[in-house]
Amino acid sequence: MNNDKFNIYLIVAVIPRIINMIMNDEDVTEWQAITAFYHSKLYRDLSDESSKLWHFSPLLLYQLFQDEVRTGNYDYPEVGL
């Protein structure tokens, strides 16, 4: 995937869904959710196409974000072959 398509995919299809889940589950404002997510290690890893995290659903990515908030880190999900 070229860089432009990758960025558009994240901006349109993935990140807004994660932000909405943060807002709904954590009862925070949109700005607080955006700030928390964009300052996370998960976001840094997700925005690196080579991490392949973008292959996972927004729900799974949100769960990884929750793990990071609770523990300071998250584990890459195991993928069945």
Side-chain angles (χ1 to χ4, degrees), residues 1-46:
M1 182 180 311
N2 74 37
N3 200 39
D4 289 338
K5 286 182 181 179
F6 174 70
N7 287 330
I8 290 169
Y9 175 73
L10 288 182
I11 292 168
V12 172
V14 178
I15 293 173
R17 293 177 65 193
I18 297 169
I19 297 300
N20 281 330
M21 286 183 252
I22 295 170
M23 288 173 26
N24 292 332
D25 289 350
E26 306 297 326
D27 194 30
V28 296
T29 66
E30 183 175 27
W31 181 250
Q32 291 170 316
I34 290 168
T35 300
F37 185 68
Y38 279 100
H39 284 96
S40 69
K41 178 184 183 304
L42 177 65
Y43 172 72
R44 285 191 307 275
D45 293 347
L46 177 62

Side-chain angles (χ1 to χ4, degrees), residues 22 26 36 40 63-74:
I22 295 170
E26 306 297 326
S40 69
Q63 292 168 340
L64 296 177
F65 174 78
Q66 287 180 311
D67 289 347
E68 181 181 345
V69 168
R70 279 193 301 272
T71 67
N73 204 359
Y74 65 89

Side-chain angles (χ1 to χ4, degrees), residues 47-73:
S47 62
D48 176 2
E49 185 181 8
S50 68
S51 75
K52 302 301 182 195
L53 283 171
W54 56 275
H55 284 276
F56 297 111
S57 72
L59 178 59
L60 179 57
L61 293 169
Y62 171 64
Q63 292 168 340
L64 296 177
F65 174 78
Q66 287 180 311
D67 289 347
E68 181 181 345
V69 168
R70 279 193 301 272
T71 67
N73 204 359

